[in-house]
Amino acid sequence: MGVMAACGGSVEKRVPGIDPANFDLSVAPSEDFYEYATGGWQKAHPLKPEFARFGSFDVLRENNEIRIRDLFAALEGTTSAPGSVGQKIGDLYRLGLDSVRLNTERLEPLRQDLGTIAPSLGRADLSRLLAGMHRAVGSPFFTPFVDADMTDSSTGMLYLYQAGIGMGNRDYYLDAENEAIRTAYRAYIEKVFTMAGYGDPKAAVEAVMEIETRIAEASLSTVELRDPYASYNKVSVETLKADYPAIDWDVWFEVMKVPALTHVNASHPKVLSVANDVLSGDRTKLDYYLAFTMLDAAAGSLDDDMQMASFEFYGRTMSGQQEPRPRWKRALGVPNSTLGEAVGEMYVAKYFPPASKERMLRLVGDLQTALGQHIENLEWMSDETKAKALEKLATFTVKIGYPDKWKDYSTLTIDPALSYWHNIKRANAWHSDDTMSEAGRPVDRTKWHMTPQTVNAYYNPLSNEICFPAAILQPPFFNPDADDAVNYGAIGVVIGHEMTHGFDDMGRQFDKQGNLADWWTEADAAAFNKLADVLVAQYDAIEVQPGLMANGRFSLGENIADQGGLRVAHTALRNSLGGVEPAPIDGFTVDQRFYLAYATLWAQNIRDEEVARLTKVDEHSLGKWRVDGALKNIEAFYRAFDITGGAMYLPPEQRVVIW
Ligand SMILES: [Zn+2]
């Protein structure tokens, strides 16, 4: 649901709201607005070998990583008390940086784990092994997590969700066009088994591919996953035990430290059935599959050979990266996520001015008012449904900057005497226990689902909340030095985008409390779907690279949110002007600056492999189409640039306005 946001600069220096150097004035705005607004930026930022994609928001992410590295470096100067978060962050970071030690230990840290796999294990011991993996290592067959029950959003529920395929998306296993990627994946599997000293790596490849392909066949597609009902299968624990008897669920619950439950969400029964079959089937094949899950999960935390094997497949083959990210960036990411809120607390103290929070609260209020006006003025929706929509809008919980209460990591131990991989497993287990303890309990609605130092934002339909972490409240999203047109066009659209998610194809199915409940009249739902279908067809017709079309159904929610965000933020800007037209800046009117600021967020260069991968796995449209695809439907954009024809132009009867 996040916006996967945009561009750079830092709060220490003044950043221009709009930089004309980013433009390509050789392209007419009516032909390709994205190129016009960002072509100069693209030329000035050729892709470095470590990147599959680099956009204006990656400039901000890069600056952010340097800030976090500075925070970690500051820990070095002080003596952190054993058991303090400073000690944990510092030791975990150093373990990741210590290539000499990693290359000396080689695969040794994983031996103990691989040794737990044995053909002699009975049902209970196999279930213990599986749960131990789910708790600390990876996601064989399915991934367990706790989130709000979709039909009773005040209560935490255990989800058993489809997973267990290394390539992460069923299409890579099943579609003919992905044969080359499958070949590279097989080579990767063979390589890691060879490095681990297995006698018959070719047999391992066959076993892993057979099992993962079975899981892929049983898995829902990305489009099917957009239907929340397709992943909601509430069953009693008794039914779970009866339906999937190959797993000793009592043992599994015990190892996973799940509190006593009456029901779980067995989200994807077909995948669980495959798990059941495989777990009670050929043991040699199963053992290869479990071993590969371990090798694959640990590869990034072991020696250079394993790290490079993983990079060659996931980085180079799948994304087109030419080099791995530098070691310090890879190492930094581990404490930055496992001790995320402790890092966030340091980050906010140093980098988040309280004034930003106040200004954001005002902006969110402005956007809420504007979206309310749009809902009231909709021609396709009845008054009855409008009243419900306005109620949902008024009930939004707004989170800005950082959580009111920080996560307590005092029971997580990081011990530098143990290996990097061992400590990562500990941290994984700690997080698993932390989330499992929420199953069957009242949901804590103050909890954050992103850390403050994340350059992104989200809407969560299960709690009807929007969240804007501290790190996104910087240029080019939020620029205290820029004029209002720029801030409404950037962070304003992001706010409107997240709000619109509450009313997109998925979000609209949840009520103001976050429960799956239909609050729409039948006619209004039909009208919504008719408009949505037009948008789907528009994006289905976009050729993202020769022979590859965008997936309009998969990206529908994000495209609705981009359009809604653009429309609502523009209304909010107009409201704020109070009828007074500001003088142009650098020759651009207030409306032109609004759309230029929006386009700047999506300035980026991207490799062909990454275009293909993201089209498959990322529900957001590619940067170019978040600009050109979205603006085609917006009358105010045409007026701002006086566009009456050209490749950007859609005649009024072909446009679609949802929110
Ligand atoms: Zn989004």
Side-chain angles (χ1 to χ4, degrees):
M1 291 283 165
V3 71
M4 278 286 288
C7 171
S10 70
V11 292
E12 291 88 355
K13 61 174 193 279
R14 284 177 68 95
V15 176
I18 300 283
D19 185 352
N22 290 337
F23 303 160
D24 180 350
L25 299 177
S26 71
V27 180
S30 59
E31 290 303 318
D32 185 343
F33 188 71
Y34 179 71
E35 281 305 315
Y36 166 77
T38 70
W41 189 98
Q42 263 101 250
K43 282 192 196 78
H45 296 83
L47 272 176
K48 290 189 233 163
E50 72 181 84
F51 292 105
R53 176 184 73 180
F54 189 84
S56 56
F57 56 85
D58 293 303
V59 178
L60 175 51
R61 283 184 180 160
E62 290 255 283
N63 288 346
N64 217 38
E65 280 179 317
I66 291 167
R67 286 175 161 192
I68 293 166
R69 185 175 66 177
D70 289 348
L71 291 172
F72 290 2
L75 293 172
E76 299 294 318
T78 58
T79 41
S80 298
S84 65
V85 289
Q87 175 263 315
K88 293 169 195 179
I89 292 167
D91 280 337
L92 202 47
Y93 184 45
R94 271 189 299 275
L95 282 162
L97 290 175
D98 191 348
S99 58
V100 173
R101 177 171 170 184
L102 289 168
N103 286 327
T104 306
E105 292 177 346
R106 298 188 68 84
L107 269 64
E108 219 33 58
L110 191 62
R111 289 281 165 224
Q112 194 191 346
D113 299 304
L114 292 172
T116 58
I117 301 171
S120 57
L121 299 183
R123 176 172 168 268
D125 285 335
L126 193 55
S127 303
R128 197 177 312 281
L129 170 64
L130 190 69
M133 289 180 70
H134 281 138
R135 181 166 172 257
V137 176
S139 304
F141 303 109
F142 59 91
T143 186
F145 62 85
V146 174
D147 205 341
D149 182 339
M150 283 188 265
T151 62
D152 168 21
S153 66
S154 62
T155 306
M157 183 180 217
L158 173 62
Y159 287 60
L160 305 173
Y161 205 86
Q162 70 180 40
I165 51 177
M167 290 194 277
N169 180 301
R170 71 195 301 274
D171 299 349
Y172 286 122
Y173 295 83
L174 308 177
D175 291 357
E177 76 217 30
N178 293 310
E179 190 58 44
I181 289 180
R182 280 194 290 278
T183 303
Y185 187 55
R186 295 172 77 95
Y188 165 59
I189 299 170
E190 186 173 341
K191 199 177 211 172
V192 295
F193 274 105
T194 305
M195 285 193 282
Y198 279 71
D200 193 354
K202 288 206 174 346
V205 172
E206 295 312 317
V208 171
M209 285 307 283
E210 181 189 317
I211 292 173
E212 292 197 1
T213 304
R214 285 182 68 185
I215 298 171
E217 283 163 351
S219 296
L220 298 185
S221 70
T222 50
V223 168
E224 288 166 330
L225 288 171
R226 290 203 64 75
D227 172 9
Y229 292 96
S231 300
Y232 191 70
N233 179 38
K234 187 172 182 173
V235 297
S236 71
V237 169
E238 294 318 310
T239 303
L240 182 75
K241 290 176 178 175
D243 286 352
Y244 314 107
I247 299 173
D248 183 331
W249 289 98
D250 289 327
V251 169
W252 191 90
F253 282 120
E254 185 200 323
V255 176
M256 284 294 293
K257 301 193 181 178
V258 178
L261 297 177
T262 56
H263 291 81
V264 303
N265 182 9
S267 306
H268 303 110
K270 284 184 185 164
V271 169
L272 292 170
S273 290
V274 171
N276 193 71
D277 286 357
V278 173
L279 283 160
S280 47
D282 183 307
R283 283 306 291 271
T284 310
K285 288 180 181 174
L286 170 67
D287 288 356
Y288 278 134
Y289 171 71
L290 295 175
F292 177 68
T293 305
M294 287 182 183
L295 286 158
D296 188 42
S301 320
L302 299 173
D303 67 353
D304 283 353
D305 289 347
M306 281 295 277
Q307 293 200 24
M308 279 309 287
S310 174
F311 165 78
E312 283 297 328
F313 179 69
Y314 292 110
R316 193 187 302 275
T317 302
M318 293 195 87
S319 291
Q321 275 175 273
Q322 294 171 0
E323 274 176 18
R325 308 182 75 213
R327 186 179 296 277
W328 73 266
K329 290 185 185 177
R330 288 176 276 148
L332 181 124
V334 174
N336 191 35
S337 58
T338 58
L339 288 131
E341 288 198 9
V343 177
E345 201 172 351
M346 300 193 297
Y347 180 92
V348 163
K350 184 144 184 206
Y351 298 118
F352 187 61
S356 295
K357 186 159 182 166
E358 285 156 35
R359 195 149 166 212
M360 266 301 281
L361 277 169
R362 264 207 319 278
L363 273 168
V364 170
D366 290 352
L367 267 292
Q368 220 158 352
T369 302
L371 178 51
Q373 291 170 319
H374 279 235
I375 291 170
E376 280 167 7
N377 292 330
L378 290 175
E379 282 170 16
W380 57 267
M381 188 185 259
S382 70
D383 288 345
E384 193 184 339
T385 307
K386 280 182 185 176
K388 298 271 176 51
L390 290 168
E391 216 180 310
K392 181 170 181 179
L393 176 64
T395 317
F396 274 175
T397 296
V398 180
K399 294 178 176 176
I400 293 169
Y402 55 91
D404 292 333
K405 79 172 189 254
W406 297 100
K407 199 175 257 302
D408 174 8
Y409 296 98
S410 54
T411 54
L412 168 61
T413 310
I414 299 298
D415 180 359
L418 299 170
S419 69
Y420 189 34
W421 171 240
H422 199 120
N423 278 292
I424 286 173
K425 276 193 300 171
R426 269 195 181 175
N428 291 345
W430 188 90
H431 280 279
S432 174
D433 296 352
D434 187 50
T435 174
M436 287 305 141
S437 72
E438 296 166 353
R441 307 272 159 84
V443 170
D444 176 5
R445 294 212 167 186
T446 67
K447 193 173 144 176
W448 278 49
H449 300 279
M450 271 181 193
T451 64
Q453 66 275 28
T454 306
V455 182
N456 211 331
Y458 70 82
Y459 170 78
N460 180 5
L462 294 169
S463 54
N464 196 27
E465 76 179 51
I466 47 175
C467 177
F468 305 95
I472 200 176
L473 306 180
Q474 300 176 59
F477 290 101
F478 178 67
N479 186 344
D481 298 328
D483 53 309
D484 278 350
V486 167
N487 276 318
Y488 280 97
I491 195 71
V493 177
V494 172
I495 297 167
H497 171 110
E498 298 306 339
M499 286 182 173
T500 307
H501 273 317
F503 305 96
D504 73 13
D505 57 320
M506 188 189 273
R508 75 172 193 85
Q509 302 183 61
F510 294 83
D511 66 13
K512 63 176 181 176
Q513 306 292 351
N515 290 315
L516 258 185
D518 193 354
W519 46 272
W520 294 59
T521 67
E522 217 170 294
D524 289 332
F528 175 93
N529 286 327
K530 203 172 154 202
L531 292 168
D533 286 347
V534 177
L535 204 58
V536 169
Q538 279 186 15
Y539 282 82
D540 274 347
I542 292 173
E543 193 172 26
V544 294
Q545 62 185 206
L548 181 63
M549 308 307 283
N551 185 338
R553 188 64 65 187
F554 177 39
S555 57
L556 176 60
E558 295 301 330
N559 298 332
I560 291 173
D562 279 344
Q563 300 224 333
L566 273 161
R567 283 173 39 76
V568 171
H570 185 258
T571 298
L573 169 64
R574 283 276 143 199
N575 288 344
S576 81
L577 294 175
V580 182
E581 194 73 16
I585 301 176
D586 298 333
F588 292 103
T589 66
V590 63
D591 283 351
Q592 288 174 336
R593 290 174 67 77
F594 172 89
Y595 294 109
L596 288 166
Y598 173 71
T600 303
L601 299 182
W602 306 111
Q604 62 181 238
N605 284 304
I606 183 164
R607 298 193 194 278
D608 292 346
E609 294 89 338
E610 189 70 349
V611 167
R613 190 183 74 86
L614 291 179
T615 301
K616 202 174 280 306
V617 305
D618 186 356
E619 65 267 34
H620 302 86
S621 290
L622 296 161
K624 178 180 170 67
W625 302 108
R626 294 190 78 160
V627 177
D628 286 357
L631 290 175
K632 279 185 176 179
N633 294 294
I634 295 180
E635 172 64 23
F637 162 72
Y638 290 131
R639 270 190 277 117
F641 287 89
D642 200 17
I643 293 171
T644 52
M648 285 294 297
Y649 186 77
L650 270 189
E653 66 276 11
Q654 290 178 29
R655 295 178 205 159
V656 57
V657 168
I658 300 183
W659 295 108

